[in-house]
Amino acid sequence: MEKNGIQEHSNDLHDNYDRNKELRAFDETKTGVKGIVDSGTKTLPKMFIRPADELLEEQNISCVKHHQVPVISLDGIQTNDCCRKRIIQQVLSASMKWGFFQVLDHGIPVRDLEAMLEGIRMFHEQDDEDCKLEG
């Protein structure tokens, strides 16, 4: 079954399933997961279900049990050249290894951060048509 170009999951295995095609269709809707929920679907779309062999492979990979997101303090970045170089190196390393990091001592007031989060919430709670981005 298909809704808005997105296949709903069924227990049947289909050899002709094209996950990339489904992901492109999903991306083109510009409505994200909220769009799937709003469409009334009652089952998880197949694109969100990982193949059993992929999960099995992941279980066989040994991994470190204790990961911690890198935390970088910006304290001294504007006043101390040595600190600035160290911080730049930390950002580079965290970006390459993790793709993200937590920033402390950035100087952004809490009220501004809360206002930003509220703006993000308001954006995502809009109707699908209002939420679509041109691009």
Side-chain angles (χ1 to χ4, degrees):
M1 181 188 250
E2 193 169 303
K3 282 194 176 189
N4 298 331
I6 298 168
Q7 292 182 347
E8 290 188 22
H9 172 66
S10 72
N11 290 329
D12 301 329
L13 295 175
H14 299 287
D15 291 334
N16 62 352
Y17 173 67
D18 185 348
R19 184 170 187 269
N20 287 332
K21 179 180 175 186
E22 188 174 7
L23 287 170
R24 281 191 301 276
F26 173 70
D27 190 43
E28 288 170 5
T29 67
K30 305 286 189 215
T31 60
V33 173
K34 184 178 184 306
I36 294 173
V37 172
D38 290 348
S39 76
T41 186
K42 300 293 182 207
T43 58
L44 188 63
K46 190 173 181 177
M47 68 180 162
F48 293 116
I49 299 172
R50 294 175 56 196
D53 58 332
E54 185 180 300
L55 292 171
L56 202 66
E57 182 180 313
E58 188 173 288
Q59 287 177 346
N60 293 330
I61 298 173
S62 63
C63 63
V64 178
K65 299 283 185 199
H66 304 285
H67 290 292
Q68 183 177 351
V69 173
V71 178
I72 301 172
S73 171
L74 299 184
D75 187 40
I77 195 167
Q78 294 180 350
T79 58
N80 186 319
D81 196 45
C82 184
C83 283
R84 183 177 180 278
K85 289 178 182 177
R86 177 184 44 79
I87 293 167
I88 290 170
Q89 189 57 44
Q90 289 174 334
V91 169
L92 178 64
S93 176
S95 298
M96 290 174 63
K97 183 175 180 181
W98 287 80
F100 56 90
F101 48 90
Q102 180 181 358
V103 177
L104 301 178
D105 305 316
H106 45 67
I108 302 171
V110 172
R111 70 179 176 281
D112 292 346
L113 295 173
E114 289 171 349
M116 176 195 62
L117 290 173
E118 181 59 26
I120 291 168
R121 264 188 232 98
M122 289 171 46
F123 173 81
H124 287 287
E125 290 173 359
Q126 295 180 81
D127 291 335
D128 293 342
E129 290 304 311
D130 295 333
C131 200
K132 285 187 179 179
L133 299 176
E134 298 298 321

